[in-house]
Amino acid sequence: MNWLFKEEPTHYSYDDLAKDKKTSWSGVRNPLAQKHLRSVRKGDLVFYYHTGDEKAIVGVMKATGDAYPDPADKSGKLYAVDVAPVEKLGRPVTLAEIKADRRFTEFPLTRISRLSVMPVSATEWKLIEQLSRKG
């Protein structure tokens, strides 16, 4: 399965991840985003999306293990997943670019844009990779 995770780059950017070599993705509160996060398995690929002013997919990460209960969550309801950088995209693929492309009408990023963890179909993944190599 492929995913997209969102983060504000001023909080933790793809470059921060590349420097750290790994991180635990936690702090996700939205119930639907948590449902998706719980489904992440070791080896899954994840697009890293910068929110805020950038609004663009900037890199690829890989889940280094299955999702697990977030040790910082006393309720036991929240999950986290460990990720490591794979590569920065050749160029960022912006939300505006994705929204302007009819092939992405069913992509959760265009429909539920505030969701911080979402699935990415194999077709959507391939299209985003192609867009990152253009221009």
Side-chain angles (χ1 to χ4, degrees):
M1 188 79 186
N2 297 324
W3 305 95
L4 181 142
F5 291 3
K6 295 164 98 177
E7 183 57 77
E8 172 64 54
T10 58
H11 178 255
Y12 193 79
S13 70
Y14 187 85
D15 289 341
D16 293 330
L17 172 64
K19 185 180 63 163
D20 294 345
K21 307 239 186 308
K22 63 179 179 181
T23 195
S24 175
W25 205 273
S26 60
V28 174
R29 300 280 182 256
N30 176 282
L32 182 55
Q34 262 296 313
K35 177 183 172 214
H36 294 317
L37 193 64
R38 280 193 301 273
S39 300
V40 176
R41 296 293 172 254
K42 181 178 182 174
D44 285 358
L45 292 176
V46 182
F47 278 131
Y48 198 124
Y49 179 93
H50 281 177
T51 60
D53 292 338
E54 277 187 65
K55 292 184 180 62
I57 300 168
V58 298
V60 178
M61 324 182 268
K62 181 188 284 194
T64 60
D66 292 352
Y68 56 88
D70 185 342
D73 174 44
K74 304 291 183 239
S75 75
K77 294 178 184 174
L78 301 180
Y79 275 66
V81 68
D82 294 334
V83 294
V86 173
E87 67 178 340
K88 199 165 185 175
L89 294 183
R91 71 167 187 84
V93 178
T94 67
L95 177 60
E97 199 175 345
I98 290 168
K99 283 185 168 184
D101 191 323
R102 288 194 322 263
R103 298 174 293 180
F104 289 104
T105 54
E106 294 303 312
F107 190 28
L109 187 63
T110 61
R111 296 182 304 108
I112 321 166
S113 61
R114 297 195 51 83
L115 194 63
S116 63
V117 175
M118 62 189 70
V120 179
S121 74
T123 301
E124 292 159 347
W125 188 276
K126 204 174 295 181
L127 289 170
I128 291 165
E129 283 186 324
Q130 288 170 1
L131 288 171
S132 77
R133 289 192 284 269
K134 284 186 178 174

